[in-house]
Amino acid sequence: MMAALLLLFGGALGWPYVRASRVTAGLKPRPAAWLLEGALALATGWGLTAALFFVLTCAGLKPPVAAFAADNLVLLGGLALVWLRRLAPTPTESLRPAVANPFRRSWLTLVAAGAMALFFMTSFSNAVDANPEGNWDAAATWNLRAKFLAAPGGWHNAVNPRLEQAAHAEYPLLWPATIARVWAESGSAGDPATPIAAGALAVIALIVLLGAGVTVFRGPALGGAAALLLLATLPVWRQAAGQYADLPLALLILGALLAAVVAWRREWPTATLMLAGLLASLAAFTKSEGLLFCLCAGLTVAWMARGRAWPWLVGAAPVLALALVFRFVMAPATPMISAAMLGETGRLGALVSGLGVNVMVMGIFPAHPLLLAALLVAALRWRRPAELPWPLLAAVPLYLAAAVVSLWGSPAEIEWQLATAVDRPVLQILPALYFAILFVLNEPQSDPEPVALPDPPPAPVRRPRLH
Amino acid sequence: MSLFHTAAVAAVGALGLYGALQQYAFVRDADQQNRDPFRIIEIQANVGTLAARLPAGSEVGFFTDLPPAEVAARGAFIAAQYGLAPHLLVRDTEKPRYVIGVFAQSKDLQGAGDERGLEVVEVLSPGFVLFEKKKAAQ
């Protein structure tokens, strides 16, 4: 309980930043906008407090002091931002195109997604009961490094080159720092309640962010369908209780994409672009693949916004700098790309084939999420291409391509990659892919209401002829 | 158009619910078959008590009679390292004062220790033994 409260408090600290960005201002329906704001706040608050906690711990503060100081600094920064932006204009226009005949059966997807969510949370509870310490990588990598960060002076061991390879001392530390911050504040290092609660909140925020994000652009029927697609994805069920960093990374990736799309629709407002950049940079400090996404997102925003893209870079700069310093100065040097490996075309074939197999098994036929998405595409059809931010949405396939190339050039053995690594980029990008697919669709529509015909004029009274 | 859209949305909802039921059963079965496969809970409970007794920043050695390529050997190391954190576990039996031995086959624990100049301190958990470097060897 204490863990969940401290995690929610950390998330609440992100709210002023999201509020100041005006990213959800004017969006309709308002309940969806509030949910969107809450999910974005959670991602921002966790990210900022964890990044600052890590910096302060490295600066020599004891973990509990660093954790409370990080919370207070993030709170002060947020309040200052809200005060500075108090006179900034607030957009009022909705981003959902007007629909001639609004769909009257949105409850179909909303009820289905709600019922699926109940099954999902029951399954989460069963998985936690079976393995409260999570899956392999939780103990080998993420929670292990969180334990190091939560101990006085222990951060050195989180990047110690003498750690076993399974601990991945070269991986960024945002997610372990998120867990360690709570452990340090509650004085309960190693208590599995914290990573369990963090995993549950992260996956709930991801479902809410996707569902509410699609709702504000394409209405509640497709918003419910978005949540439904995510809940029809088997790896989400298997990973949610695993205590890995992939779903939190997916949350940050989706948040960065959503904020960038809102910024595009509003002619690139500075504060919204800064939030998009901040979320992308937090992804860069979550996993090495997040750095790839940050690069892809930065390129696509620069392509679309041209000279107005600078706030994205300003928003990304502080945490991106931290991620780069971590990668190239603090973490043990590990070769990322080997030219010799890139010469082996057989590896590429094996990876693409492994990726295909992973996509095939990420759902149970005939309820495979891509099949459900195809059904919606066939029924609702694409919107006109001129209405869509194609370069921004292209960040999704660009990221997947970059991830495959990085796996192809990685010095790791191909068998290991196929068994443990190739499914990760798919899971990380899937929510953003579902958003992109549903964003380019038309909303479902109902038939027009029958128009009541005016009463016919009274028949002229024939007067009898008088003779 | 309305009927077509309603049918498509209803089909997606119904298929999604069907998929959720299937996935629920699939994940439940997988969880029941893989309850703490690497004994992380048990090992952490036992090794964790040792972690609290060691001076801050300790390095503890590790060896096992399991074949190194086996998943069980890697699982034992990971579980022991997780239980010992924030102390560091290293695959070295010469430098560290304390060493954890993991035994799946050997019964002669002291014999395994003698080979490495170690003596048994305590059995932390079945198969998990804490050794200390012999006084003469220190």
Side-chain angles (χ1 to χ4, degrees):
Chain A
M1 191 61 178
M2 174 61 88
L5 286 176
L6 287 170
L7 284 163
L8 285 171
F9 177 67
L13 292 174
W15 181 72
Y17 295 83
V18 177
R19 195 76 185 164
S21 78
R22 303 284 195 269
V23 67
T24 61
L27 298 183
K28 291 190 178 63
R30 288 311 292 161
W34 294 330
L35 288 172
L36 186 65
E37 196 164 294
L40 284 173
L42 190 86
T44 309
W46 280 7
L48 285 175
T49 49
L52 205 51
F53 166 72
F54 175 69
V55 170
L56 294 174
T57 310
C58 294
L61 293 188
K62 287 191 172 169
V65 180
F68 287 116
D71 287 2
N72 283 307
L73 288 173
V74 171
L75 175 65
L76 286 176
L79 293 177
L81 207 55
V82 167
W83 188 78
L84 286 171
R85 298 265 305 151
R86 70 193 185 285
L87 299 177
T90 301
T92 51
E93 85 278 24
S94 164
L95 299 183
R96 185 178 164 202
V99 178
N101 303 300
F103 192 59
R104 288 190 293 272
R105 296 184 181 85
S106 300
W107 58 267
L108 283 170
T109 55
L110 294 173
V111 168
M116 290 170 78
L118 285 180
F119 280 114
F120 174 76
M121 291 317 292
T122 311
S123 172
F124 182 93
S125 167
N126 292 343
V128 164
D129 186 44
N131 286 306
E133 301 282 358
N135 295 344
W136 177 280
D137 280 2
T141 309
W142 302 108
N143 293 345
L144 170 67
R145 298 174 80 214
K147 267 187 156 183
F148 288 138
L149 289 179
W155 72 269
H156 291 283
N157 276 344
V159 290
N160 193 325
R162 297 177 66 205
L163 277 176
E164 286 280 294
Q165 196 263 338
H168 289 290
E170 78 282 7
Y171 278 7
L173 279 164
L174 192 90
W175 188 243
T178 305
I179 306 296
R181 170 190 151 266
V182 175
W183 276 345
E185 286 179 351
S186 59
S188 60
D191 180 5
T194 299
I196 290 169
L201 287 171
V203 77
I204 290 170
L206 182 62
I207 296 167
V208 166
L209 185 65
L210 180 61
V214 173
T215 298
V216 297
F217 285 107
R218 296 292 176 260
L222 287 188
L228 186 150
L229 288 183
L230 195 60
L231 288 164
T233 306
L234 189 53
V236 174
W237 288 58
R238 302 196 69 173
Q239 277 239 4
Q243 303 174 19
Y244 288 10
D246 297 285
L247 287 174
L249 176 58
L251 176 70
L252 291 164
I253 287 177
L254 178 62
L257 181 67
L258 257 164
V261 172
V262 172
W264 161 74
R265 284 292 308 274
R266 291 188 164 150
E267 304 286 327
W268 312 111
T270 302
T272 308
L273 259 183
M274 285 178 77
L275 181 73
L278 171 66
L279 289 165
S281 69
L282 290 171
F285 193 44
T286 303
K287 279 196 87 175
S288 304
E289 297 97 312
L291 197 54
L292 271 184
F293 172 78
C294 190
L295 184 67
C296 295
L299 284 174
T300 53
V301 167
W303 175 270
M304 284 205 81
R306 307 281 167 161
R308 286 178 290 175
W310 63 267
W312 187 95
L313 196 59
V314 172
V319 182
L320 186 58
L322 174 65
L324 292 174
V325 166
F326 176 84
R327 183 72 187 82
F328 296 108
V329 180
M330 300 173 81
T334 49
M336 292 169 83
I337 297 277
S338 148
M341 291 297 179
L342 286 174
E344 292 183 19
T345 48
R347 276 174 69 89
L348 179 61
L351 278 169
V352 172
S353 144
L355 203 65
V357 170
N358 271 289
V359 169
M360 289 292 284
V361 299
M362 72 185 199
I364 293 175
F365 285 94
H368 194 287
L370 291 185
L371 205 60
L372 301 183
L375 187 58
L376 288 171
V377 171
L380 303 175
R381 305 298 168 92
W382 312 112
R383 300 181 72 81
R384 284 187 298 133
E387 297 173 359
L388 301 167
W390 288 109
L392 277 186
L393 301 180
V396 174
L398 191 63
Y399 166 75
L400 257 186
V404 169
V405 170
S406 78
L407 287 172
W408 178 23
S410 154
E413 288 177 9
I414 188 72
E415 292 78 16
W416 177 81
Q417 286 183 328
L418 289 175
T420 65
V422 78
D423 58 330
R424 304 295 172 83
V426 179
L427 183 62
Q428 293 153 9
I429 204 68
L430 264 179
L433 178 68
Y434 294 154
F435 172 77
I437 290 174
L438 297 177
F439 183 81
V440 302
L441 292 187
N442 292 300
E443 271 193 51
Q445 297 199 35
S446 287
D447 281 333
E449 295 275 2
V451 179
L453 294 173
D455 292 336
V461 178
R462 295 189 70 180
R463 297 183 181 198
R465 270 183 162 182
L466 298 174
H467 295 282
Chain B
M1 182 60 79
S2 167
L3 190 64
F4 186 49
H5 284 181
T6 305
V9 168
V12 166
L15 284 171
L17 269 175
Y18 166 79
L21 277 169
Q22 297 292 313
Q23 292 185 159
Y24 177 82
F26 179 85
V27 175
R28 183 196 55 203
D29 293 347
D31 286 337
Q32 280 174 356
Q33 286 165 17
N34 294 301
R35 295 184 82 89
D36 195 18
F38 306 108
R39 296 167 56 207
I40 287 175
I41 302 166
E42 172 201 334
I43 292 165
Q44 190 182 209
N46 294 301
V47 178
T49 58
L50 168 66
R53 284 182 275 149
L54 292 172
S58 294
E59 279 194 10
V60 178
F62 178 88
F63 73 96
T64 177
D65 63 353
L66 285 161
E70 270 192 20
V71 176
R74 284 184 283 151
F77 183 90
I78 284 168
Q81 169 64 92
Y82 188 61
L84 264 187
H87 307 293
L88 198 64
L89 189 67
V90 292
R91 289 183 194 273
D92 179 6
T93 55
E94 292 187 2
K95 284 186 195 157
R97 178 177 172 191
Y98 292 103
V99 174
I100 287 177
V102 176
F103 301 94
Q105 295 144 14
S106 316
K107 299 281 184 240
D108 183 9
L109 305 182
Q110 189 53 62
D114 288 341
E115 287 173 22
R116 296 166 176 85
L118 306 167
E119 59 188 350
V120 174
V121 177
E122 66 178 283
V123 176
L124 298 166
S125 171
F128 273 70
V129 181
L130 177 67
F131 292 94
E132 186 176 7
K133 190 168 275 192
K134 285 181 178 169
K135 293 284 185 271
Q138 281 182 34

